[in-house]
Amino acid sequence: MKDISRRSFGRLVKACAVAGIAMASFGTVAQDAAAFERVDGGKILVIAGRQPVSTLDPSIKYNASIRSLQQALYDALVKYDGNPPTVKPWLAESWEQSEDGKTWTFNLVKNAKFHSGNPVNAEAIKYSFTRTLELKQGPSWMLSDFLTPEGIEVVDDYTVRFNLEKPYAAFLSFIPWWYIMDPAVVTAHVEDDDYGQKWMTENEAGSGPYKLKRFDQGTLYEVERVKDYWKGDGGSNIEGIVYKLVRETSAQRAALMRGEADIVLDLSPDEFEQVAKAKGVKTSTEPALTAFGLKFNTKGKYMSDKNLRKAVAHAFDYDALLSIFNGNAVLQTSPFTDDIKGKIDVPGIPRHDMEKAKEYLAKSQWPDGGIELEYVYVQGLEIERLMGLVLIDKLKPLNITVKMVPLTWPNLVARGSSPETSADMMAIFATPVSTDPDAVAYQYHPESWGKYYGTHFYENPKVTELIEKARYTTDWEERAPMYAEIQKLIVEDQPEIFGMMRKRLIAYRDYVTGFSYTPVRMTSEIDYYGLGIGN
């Protein structure tokens, strides 16, 4: 590998991120270039992605890019690993659950240290969970119905107990996303009772395998490996990782082919197909839990009619979803994606069938069509635009026109906040953060209305009753049939077009080592722990 100086490295990264990487014709064979090195020979892994990191604060927000950095900088009590994903010990070496499902006791490892040198102890666990619950953002929704700050008990320095207000079967499945913060560091940076939020946006107070080195918003984010990380190096041999923003997928492809990036995330399907054939490139195409669907506004003027919803669902061309992704997708056979516990294949889930579509339309309030449906999608997301074109084409035989409306993500979320403003159909990618079925089922509970995944405003008292009963039941043998019924009832009511599970479109150079996968991660999310660079 070729050594480059710090100054040259910085100039190159900045030029790539701001101006875009120069595009020439690189053909289909990657050059024999390798990862960047520092002057002292330490290896730096470079990841090129398109999604910025708006905050590092574990209590405030998460998405694929944020969570990739958060889990590099922070640790949690437990961690997801493997395929199928399982919860394994991390800061907690063991735990016990009471028979009534309301009390969880975690026994902590005794050698974990924050980057400050302070010990990770039960007080830090209590502080971190309390901070997240009281700020009422980020992951707080996962446990706020069951856990209060008063219910968190420090038993001793290395034992912490959670006393839930009612049993919650999915409790452990959400704990991996509750990262533990150093109370001394956070409280030292509190301004105007903000719980340290301002400082925590671009700084960290963690105990993870990496610590923050640079946070250049809109350009790049750099972490350096903690050499004495309490959990060990995980097989890593690098000095650090740079996550740089490269907005265009063509520039990402060029960076990978030239050896200017070691891993690229979220390539377009066409760009991905090009690099997948290249010498020296490996890919990750396993399906994630992420599902794509078209949410119907079931409280709206048109889509409140179940027969119209079913007509549109049967008119849609599902094979087009697979074509748009060049086959890197799998059609849904249930509202639950494949790795969700208790998922079943629901008989009769719609597929393209114009005869059925016409039969349902004839039973609707608009038997002859003659209506216009609004389709809202994320501006600049080409795959969602193409899906809209499929809708236009397939609804023409029903005498239904489609108005395509591109919106930025924040504006799309705002439009979907109430049934009065939400569109007839919204293109939504949704990723459950747990393999427990409650993580998906609750998307069809009235409490989810107005959230981006609840823009269907679906309401069925029987489904609501089953969701609430199942989440408070701890015996899986009792829960399983409830979730099977929930899936069948939702499909029967057709609150959306159940589309597909897209596969990850991640490409990386074949010298990258330690690359791991578990379906519970978002499609462009990477676990930095253990990543390295081979010969």
Side-chain angles (χ1 to χ4, degrees):
M1 285 191 264
K2 182 180 178 182
D3 288 341
I4 65 173
S5 69
R6 281 180 198 268
R7 185 174 298 175
S8 298
F9 174 75
R11 283 202 303 264
L12 180 55
V13 169
K14 185 174 181 180
C16 290
V18 176
I21 298 170
M23 288 298 298
S25 175
F26 300 116
T28 59
V29 179
Q31 296 181 2
D32 291 330
F36 296 112
E37 292 190 15
R38 293 194 180 279
V39 173
D40 60 8
K43 301 173 183 178
I44 303 297
L45 192 71
V46 179
I47 301 172
R50 293 186 290 136
Q51 186 179 54
V53 179
S54 58
T55 182
L56 294 174
D57 194 331
S59 297
I60 299 303
K61 191 176 181 181
Y62 61 87
N63 58 29
S65 60
I66 293 172
R67 210 162 71 175
S68 291
L69 278 177
Q70 284 176 343
Q71 63 193 312
L73 301 169
Y74 292 92
D75 292 310
L77 287 170
V78 293
K79 183 175 181 176
Y80 276 113
D81 183 56
N83 185 16
T86 57
V87 172
K88 70 176 184 179
W90 208 254
L91 286 174
E93 61 184 6
S94 63
W95 55 88
E96 301 88 37
Q97 179 187 6
S98 63
E99 287 188 13
D100 64 4
K102 293 176 64 175
T103 302
W104 291 76
T105 304
F106 291 84
N107 306 302
L108 308 182
V109 299
K110 295 181 174 62
N111 63 325
K113 296 185 300 181
F114 288 109
H115 300 153
S116 65
N118 295 326
V120 181
N121 54 26
E123 288 289 352
I125 308 299
K126 178 179 174 65
Y127 172 84
S128 300
F129 274 78
T130 297
R131 182 178 187 270
T132 299
L133 287 168
E134 291 188 346
L135 286 173
K136 299 179 181 179
Q137 299 183 66
S140 63
W141 65 269
M142 302 175 191
L143 301 179
S144 57
D145 288 346
F146 306 91
L147 180 66
T148 65
E150 295 73 26
I152 307 170
E153 175 188 354
V154 173
V155 178
D156 57 42
D157 283 350
Y158 293 98
T159 309
V160 63
R161 181 170 295 138
F162 296 90
N163 300 295
L164 306 185
E165 296 194 326
K166 43 195 168 185
Y168 185 36
F171 177 76
L172 187 66
S173 73
F174 284 113
I175 297 301
W177 311 124
W178 289 66
Y179 295 116
I180 306 307
M181 295 157 269
D182 187 336
V185 172
V186 178
T187 54
H189 294 92
V190 171
E191 296 182 24
D192 301 322
D193 298 322
D194 74 340
Y195 240 139
Q197 290 180 72
K198 182 178 179 181
W199 186 83
M200 289 284 282
T201 298
E202 298 186 2
N203 296 278
E204 55 94 358
S207 63
Y210 290 86
K211 56 185 177 181
L212 186 65
K213 185 166 187 179
R214 280 193 292 173
F215 188 99
D216 296 340
Q217 185 56 279
T219 304
L220 63 86
Y221 317 88
E222 183 178 4
V223 295
E224 58 181 321
R225 189 163 63 84
V226 176
K227 297 298 178 60
D228 59 348
Y229 178 52
W230 65 272
K231 191 74 172 176
D233 61 20
S236 179
N237 64 344
I238 56 177
E239 295 295 314
I241 295 174
V242 168
Y243 173 70
K244 65 181 180 182
L245 293 181
V246 180
R247 303 287 187 172
E248 299 296 328
T249 59
S250 57
Q252 286 179 289
R253 177 182 69 87
L256 186 73
M257 303 290 269
R258 290 167 60 97
E260 294 169 347
D262 305 301
I263 301 174
V264 293
L265 312 174
D266 257 346
L267 290 171
S268 71
D270 289 341
E271 295 285 356
F272 183 81
E273 286 298 306
Q274 291 184 50
V275 301
K277 300 172 184 176
K279 178 184 176 182
V281 173
K282 291 184 177 181
T283 61
S284 175
T285 59
E286 302 90 347
L289 294 182
T290 301
F292 172 80
L294 301 185
K295 307 287 186 181
F296 297 144
N297 181 358
T298 63
K299 302 293 184 185
K301 177 180 178 180
Y302 296 120
M303 306 314 284
S304 56
D305 187 316
K306 185 167 86 169
N307 285 309
L308 179 61
R309 299 198 300 267
K310 285 185 170 290
V312 173
H314 281 91
F316 189 73
D317 185 354
Y318 295 84
D319 288 340
L321 294 174
L322 305 182
S323 298
I324 289 170
F325 274 89
N326 292 333
N328 289 307
V330 178
L331 294 182
Q332 284 182 254
T333 58
S334 163
F336 292 9
T337 47
D338 285 354
D339 286 293
I340 295 294
K341 189 175 183 179
K343 181 260 181 184
I344 65 168
D345 292 341
V346 179
I349 195 167
R351 292 291 182 258
H352 180 60
D353 187 331
M354 288 307 300
E355 291 304 314
K356 281 190 177 181
K358 290 174 181 177
E359 289 174 11
Y360 281 114
L361 184 67
K363 293 187 284 187
S364 76
Q365 299 175 58
W366 297 275
D368 300 316
I371 60 175
E372 181 181 73
L373 301 178
E374 187 181 31
Y375 168 74
V376 167
Y377 65 99
V378 177
Q379 179 179 318
L381 196 52
E382 177 65 8
I383 53 178
E384 291 188 357
R385 187 188 72 84
L386 294 174
M387 293 168 189
L389 297 179
V390 172
L391 270 176
I392 290 174
D393 180 58
K394 296 305 176 183
L395 295 187
K396 278 181 181 177
L398 301 182
N399 192 28
I400 296 174
T401 59
V402 176
K403 179 183 179 182
M404 293 177 57
V405 180
L407 293 177
T408 63
W409 176 250
N411 287 336
L412 181 147
V413 173
R415 277 288 309 270
S417 63
S418 73
E420 291 74 27
T421 60
S422 194
D424 300 304
M425 299 177 285
M426 279 196 172
I428 297 293
F429 282 96
T431 302
V433 295
S434 160
T435 56
D436 190 275
D438 186 64
V440 182
Y442 209 67
Q443 295 178 25
Y444 300 93
H445 188 283
E447 286 295 321
S448 294
W449 289 5
K451 297 179 174 65
Y452 76 92
Y453 49 79
T455 52
H456 41 54
F457 301 98
Y458 173 63
E459 185 174 22
N460 180 326
K462 178 62 174 175
V463 172
T464 302
E465 178 186 351
L466 282 168
I467 291 171
E468 292 179 352
K469 184 178 180 182
R471 67 192 328 225
Y472 303 142
T473 301
T474 57
D475 186 337
W476 175 248
E477 296 302 317
E478 294 181 33
R479 296 179 79 205
M482 297 183 208
Y483 286 114
E485 187 174 358
I486 286 169
Q487 292 169 75
K488 293 175 184 177
L489 288 171
I490 293 172
V491 169
E492 169 58 28
D493 287 336
Q494 202 73 60
E496 63 188 83
I497 289 176
F498 304 105
M500 52 88 190
M501 296 158 287
R502 57 160 293 186
K503 296 181 180 180
R504 292 155 59 93
L505 300 181
I506 296 176
Y508 57 99
R509 299 298 297 265
D510 59 6
Y511 51 70
V512 174
T513 60
F515 190 94
S516 63
Y517 165 75
T518 184
V520 76
R521 302 196 184 281
M522 300 178 187
T523 51
S524 57
E525 179 184 351
I526 291 181
D527 184 2
Y528 290 3
Y529 181 58
L531 286 178
I533 297 173
N535 296 325

